[in-house]
Short mmCIF file of all heavy atoms in Angstrom, two decimals:
data_model
loop_
_atom_site.label_atom_id
_atom_site.label_comp_id
_atom_site.label_asym_id
_atom_site.label_seq_id
_atom_site.Cartn_x
_atom_site.Cartn_y
_atom_site.Cartn_z
N LYS B 30 104.27 156.08 112.35
CA LYS B 30 105.46 156.93 112.39
C LYS B 30 105.77 157.37 113.80
O LYS B 30 104.88 157.56 114.62
CB LYS B 30 105.21 158.20 111.55
CG LYS B 30 105.20 157.90 110.08
CD LYS B 30 105.35 159.15 109.27
CE LYS B 30 105.60 158.83 107.82
NZ LYS B 30 104.64 157.86 107.28
N PRO B 43 126.84 156.28 109.12
CA PRO B 43 127.26 155.04 108.48
C PRO B 43 128.62 154.63 109.01
O PRO B 43 129.21 155.34 109.82
CB PRO B 43 127.32 155.39 107.01
CG PRO B 43 127.37 156.87 106.93
CD PRO B 43 126.94 157.43 108.24
N ALA B 48 132.13 159.99 107.24
CA ALA B 48 130.76 160.35 107.54
C ALA B 48 130.57 160.55 109.03
O ALA B 48 129.74 161.34 109.47
CB ALA B 48 129.83 159.27 107.03
N LYS B 67 119.15 167.43 122.61
CA LYS B 67 119.82 166.14 122.51
C LYS B 67 119.99 165.75 121.05
O LYS B 67 119.03 165.72 120.30
CB LYS B 67 119.00 165.08 123.24
CG LYS B 67 119.78 163.81 123.44
CD LYS B 67 118.99 162.76 124.18
CE LYS B 67 119.75 161.45 124.12
NZ LYS B 67 118.92 160.32 124.42
N LYS B 86 112.80 157.39 112.13
CA LYS B 86 113.69 156.98 113.20
C LYS B 86 115.00 157.73 113.11
O LYS B 86 115.78 157.76 114.05
CB LYS B 86 113.93 155.48 113.14
CG LYS B 86 112.74 154.73 113.69
CD LYS B 86 112.99 153.25 113.82
CE LYS B 86 111.73 152.58 114.33
NZ LYS B 86 111.32 151.44 113.55
N TYR B 131 154.20 150.66 92.93
CA TYR B 131 153.99 149.61 91.94
C TYR B 131 153.75 150.23 90.56
O TYR B 131 154.29 149.76 89.55
CB TYR B 131 152.81 148.73 92.34
CG TYR B 131 152.61 147.56 91.41
CD1 TYR B 131 153.41 146.43 91.52
CD2 TYR B 131 151.64 147.59 90.41
CE1 TYR B 131 153.25 145.37 90.65
CE2 TYR B 131 151.47 146.54 89.53
CZ TYR B 131 152.29 145.42 89.66
OH TYR B 131 152.14 144.37 88.80
N HIS B 135 155.51 149.60 86.90
CA HIS B 135 154.73 149.06 85.77
C HIS B 135 153.67 150.07 85.36
O HIS B 135 152.50 149.90 85.64
CB HIS B 135 154.03 147.76 86.17
CG HIS B 135 154.94 146.75 86.79
ND1 HIS B 135 155.77 145.95 86.05
CD2 HIS B 135 155.14 146.41 88.08
CE1 HIS B 135 156.46 145.16 86.86
NE2 HIS B 135 156.09 145.43 88.10
N THR B 171 129.27 149.40 95.18
CA THR B 171 130.31 148.82 94.33
C THR B 171 129.71 148.02 93.18
O THR B 171 128.65 147.42 93.31
CB THR B 171 131.23 147.87 95.15
OG1 THR B 171 131.97 147.07 94.24
CG2 THR B 171 130.44 146.96 96.06
N VAL B 194 138.96 147.05 108.36
CA VAL B 194 139.75 145.87 108.02
C VAL B 194 140.45 146.08 106.68
O VAL B 194 141.64 145.78 106.52
CB VAL B 194 138.85 144.62 107.97
CG1 VAL B 194 139.64 143.43 107.49
CG2 VAL B 194 138.25 144.35 109.33
N SER B 313 129.01 180.71 109.70
CA SER B 313 127.95 181.02 108.74
C SER B 313 126.88 179.92 108.70
O SER B 313 125.83 180.10 108.11
CB SER B 313 128.56 181.18 107.34
OG SER B 313 129.17 179.97 106.97
N LYS B 317 120.55 182.65 111.90
CA LYS B 317 120.45 183.90 112.66
C LYS B 317 119.22 183.85 113.55
O LYS B 317 118.16 183.42 113.13
CB LYS B 317 120.33 185.09 111.69
CG LYS B 317 121.44 185.16 110.66
CD LYS B 317 122.60 185.98 111.12
CE LYS B 317 123.78 185.93 110.19
NZ LYS B 317 124.19 184.68 109.62
#
Side-chain angles (χ1 to χ4, degrees):
Chain B
K30 288 196 169 50
K67 193 179 170 199
K86 283 187 182 129
Y131 185 79
H135 309 281
T171 165
V194 175
S313 61
K317 306 269 173 317

